[in-house]
Amino acid sequence: MKRRSRYAAVSLTAALILSACSSGPSSSSGPSSSSGPSSSSSLSGQTINLSLSHHAWTTSLQTFIGDFTTETGIKVDVNVYDDAQQATLYNVKLNAGSSDIDVLMFRPLQNTQQFTQNGWFADLTKYVNASTDWNWNDFWQSARDSVTVNNKIIGVPLVSETGVLYYRKDLLAETGMPYPKTMDDLKAVVAKIHELHPDIFAFAGRGEVSAAVTQFSSFLYSMGGNWTDGKGNSTINSDAAKAAYKLYGGLIHDYGPPGETDMNWPQVMGLLQQGLVAFYPEASSNYDSAVDPTQSKVADQIGVGPIPAGPAGSKPYNITAMALGISAFSKHKDAAWAFIKWATNQANSLTIQEAGVPGARTSVWNDPKGTSTLAPDLLATIQGNSKIGVGYDRPQVVNVDQARQIVGAPIVAAIQGGDSNAVADQANSDFQALLDGQAK
Amino acid sequence: MTRRARAATLRASRRRGMRPSRAYNVFRVIALASVVVVFIFPLVWLVLASLKTQIDIYDPSKTFIFSPTLHNFKTVFGAQAFLPFFRNSLIVGVVSTALSLVFAVPAAYAMSRFSMTKSSIMVLLARVIPSISLIVPWYFLFAKIGMVGGYGAMIISHMFLSVPLMVWILISFFDTLPIELEEAAQVDGLTPIGAFVRVSLPLSIPGIATAGILAFIFSWNNFLFSLILSGSNTKTLPVAIFNFIGYASIDWGGLMAASVSITVPIIAIAMFFQRYVVSGLTAGATKG
Amino acid sequence: MSSPVIAWRAAISLWVNRNRKWILSGPAIAFIVLLLVIPLGYTLYLSFTDAGSSLRASFHFTGLGNYTNVLTDTRRFWPAVYRTVLFTVGAVSVEMLLGAAIALLLRREFRGQGIVRVIILMPLVATPVAVAMLWRLIFEPTIGFANEFLRFFGLPGSEWLSSPSTALPTLMFIDVWQWTPMVALLLLAGLTTVPEEPEEAARVDGANVFQRFWFVTLPLMRSVVFAALILRSVEAFKTFDILYATKGAGGGSMHEAETINIYAYGINFSDNRYGLASAVLVVFFIMVLVLVTLQIVARRRGQ
């Protein structure tokens, strides 16, 4: 019995591969009755090792990942890590050229340069080219660019993410003010909420030095600043950047919870869920936990809006947050590709997006089902940001970790009410040294 | 006071059983009670938090009075599937401890009987070296011989901690075993090794138990080696606990339930073998 | 059985017994040396190179460059040294004092002594990572019990682990909570070896509790005190689990909990500057050795 179902599954894969246009069948449909020789039968029985990140995408995928094994006979070994652990493991395992990882989930803006330089990615170009039915061109151009290095494709985009502002609708309504259009409006409305509810943190945000950088980036761009001038010169002590540091860090200093400089998004989100936070800039992809009624007391009061405009307008980041790649040292590259292709095919991308994790496939976004489960205000903000967004949320260097520590220092100084301008000057020279070291 | 008089007073005071004053007794009871509270309260708190919902954890009015739920433990053993991590911790702990004993018992015996100072300094060195200086080179080594990701690398790394610990404990144990017994056995025709195996080894079972239990506890608690060297199927509990951090909002209840699940077995073992644990921890310290 | 076999057996037995010193200890020593010397050698080698980013890429010898960089680094390295020393001295001295007090309390038998001993054993054997998580919740500034407790007495809350100024003292507190029992048990074991007569004699001569302990009992258990001191300071010096689990790889936003160990971890695993990290590790190892040697010398002098 078992053997037969596996045979059927293999046949199904074959059928899927052979079919010219595979936009139709959902992954969770039952075994097909078609039969015939299979080109992927050699993959059946192999086990691939997945290194995935703690992310809503992973959670959603895990609800139906068993289907993949049923369909292909390829077994998967799923490992889920938090960011810090995963970064360490990649460093150690890929450095040692270990074949322990086949499929690796990564953050393009964080890892691409370094991993490429180190030769840790397998080149996926030939796989992508051979999978015409899977339709690479369906992914957004910007998303494809973020995983293409020197014309080589090194990953497949999974999650798109943009900077938004979470807020408490009821508290905003109480102030009688409209949703803040500009940074000055934001300051005013936050001050008003603080006045009405001193026990509520009117503005909270990530404050941990490295974690804060990405959410701060929307403020930096909107204030007219940037990390570099695009020619290898650090610009994080420009007047605009200094104003941005003062603004973001200052709001947290004045209205944020105690212990801010230790907070990453799980901590701030926890406070938001308990109704303790009024305004909170965070990634769109965390929407689900913000409105999770099992975790949150104020789930029905959480709204989402665009980042208010600064002197440069509203310029949130709008990025490809997550991607799947294959380790250069994998011994099961074909099976690994079969998995990536399956996980990112149109049907499964739709399933995951329906579960609330925005992806990067045009067809899914065009499909009414793909947007039906997104809250209207979230959808409007995401669509708005896609037109005005900046394609990176952190400095574009080889060693992003180090850069984040450097450019995040003025945020921390501002949160603590210190002289963020002086720290920005120091950080600027540190960052310049890092850029110069990299250029060598 | 003459010596005789002093001796008499001394005897008298001993007869009274050196009974301390009433005030001291009251003070002592209070002091002991505070010691107990200080050391046990955080652990009690841990258990309480593990029985709360996320919303209750954030609610100061529900600090001690709340309706307990096993929901968090369901998350730990259900959604987070902690059972395999228990299995891994157990396998790594038991196997590394057993193998370490095979290495450490004879070595400690030899070092005790032959006073091998240089060798025992080497063992001491292994106890003081900072662990992170070992990991990267080890990983390369293990990767070269294809041991990464399996139990092998984990077990070897834990043995590196266990063997020196055991040698340390057992040297001081063998030092207390009278050499005369072995000599007598040799007179009766046993070889020196025979005397070790037949006479000293059976006598050293308490010492071996001490070393074994302590090594198991340290293996169970080890974080750094397991973080780097554990593979897909060999992740141990201290590493798995991080599953509750860094995703969505921090799941305090789940985190605490996971902490309880890890800590309770090891505390139970330590309580059960309390005498051995204490003598292991204090081994080597009380000799001159 | 033929006689040559017996002869062979006897010969082997003789050989084994003659060389039993090395046959018994050889495997363990070889095991430790192999796992110790190879990494040490490799670390030493890397510390003279500019290895970074990928260890599979080629790198160059830079001589003592990393060491001069490390030893002149007043922004990360020396503050990390300072924190390590502060953490160790602060935590261990409190542990020694409290441990001695608890040991004296437990010295004389009383009903329930067993239970008290078991309870103080608990922090010792509890998994450090789990302990760190527990304290993270207790010291959470908004929802933690620590601030709730203070508020109950009308005192202002603290940011505990989260604030750059209070993180290190809070971590020292956690270390004290977890390891004071260790000191107490060691000193208690030491106390049992001390005869009661001299103390009683001093008591008869009118010495108070403190004088009796300081002038009579303590000198008699000097070696145990030294052993506890060595053990605890080396362990505190190397503390990793609790720091990592509460403050992460960088030791916090302002590196407020970054000890040498955490610093080395960070530049190794986050920044991938393997050459530099190796130099830090070598310096760190030398410091640990100096610490151990100093204390052993002090102990010898004291005797």
Side-chain angles (χ1 to χ4, degrees), chain A residues 91 95 209 261 399 416 430, chain C residues 55 75 253 269 271-272 274:
Chain A
N91 269 334
N95 242 320
V209 61
T261 57
N399 195 327
Q416 294 186 310
D430 290 348
Chain C
L55 279 168
R75 289 178 61 194
S253 284
F269 294 107
D271 297 358
N272 308 82
Y274 302 106

Side-chain angles (χ1 to χ4, degrees), chain C residues 175-186:
Chain C
D175 194 77
V176 166
W177 178 80
Q178 191 164 23
W179 295 108
T180 296
M182 177 79 200
V183 178
L185 289 176
L186 281 168

Side-chain angles (χ1 to χ4, degrees), chain B residues 6 14 28 38-39 42 45 58 63 107 116 122 127-128 132 138 191 193 221 256 262 271 274 288, chain C residues 16-17 24-25 33 35 39 105 108 110 117-118 125 127 133-134 138 143 148 177 197 205 238 261 299:
Chain B
R6 187 199 265 172
R14 185 159 319 143
R28 189 157 173 248
V38 166
F39 285 110
W45 178 255
Y58 278 85
T63 303
M116 299 163 72
M122 188 57 135
R127 279 195 80 182
V128 300
I132 49 170
W138 279 2
T191 61
I193 285 192
N221 288 346
M256 293 304 118
I262 297 179
M271 281 168 74
Q274 185 207 352
Chain C
V16 164
N17 276 298
L24 291 175
S25 65
V33 167
L35 287 181
L105 279 176
R108 202 171 303 280
F110 59 96
R117 278 189 181 220
V118 165
V125 296
T127 312
M133 298 302 171
L134 154 68
I138 289 182
I143 60 167
E148 209 179 299
W177 178 80
E197 278 75 11
D205 285 348
K238 296 195 302 172
N261 216 352
R299 182 181 177 174

Side-chain angles (χ1 to χ4, degrees), chain A residues 253-311:
Chain A
H253 171 73
D254 294 342
Y255 307 108
E260 263 283 3
T261 57
D262 224 20
M263 288 192 174
N264 199 342
W265 54 276
Q267 286 84 8
V268 189
M269 193 56 88
L271 296 173
L272 180 82
Q273 287 175 340
Q274 303 312 316
L276 294 169
V277 172
F279 279 88
Y280 169 33
E282 185 47 68
S284 56
S285 55
N286 290 330
Y287 183 79
D288 255 20
S289 58
V291 298
D292 179 351
T294 65
Q295 303 258 307
S296 175
K297 287 208 272 196
V298 288
D300 51 347
Q301 291 299 341
I302 300 295
V304 168
I307 300 289

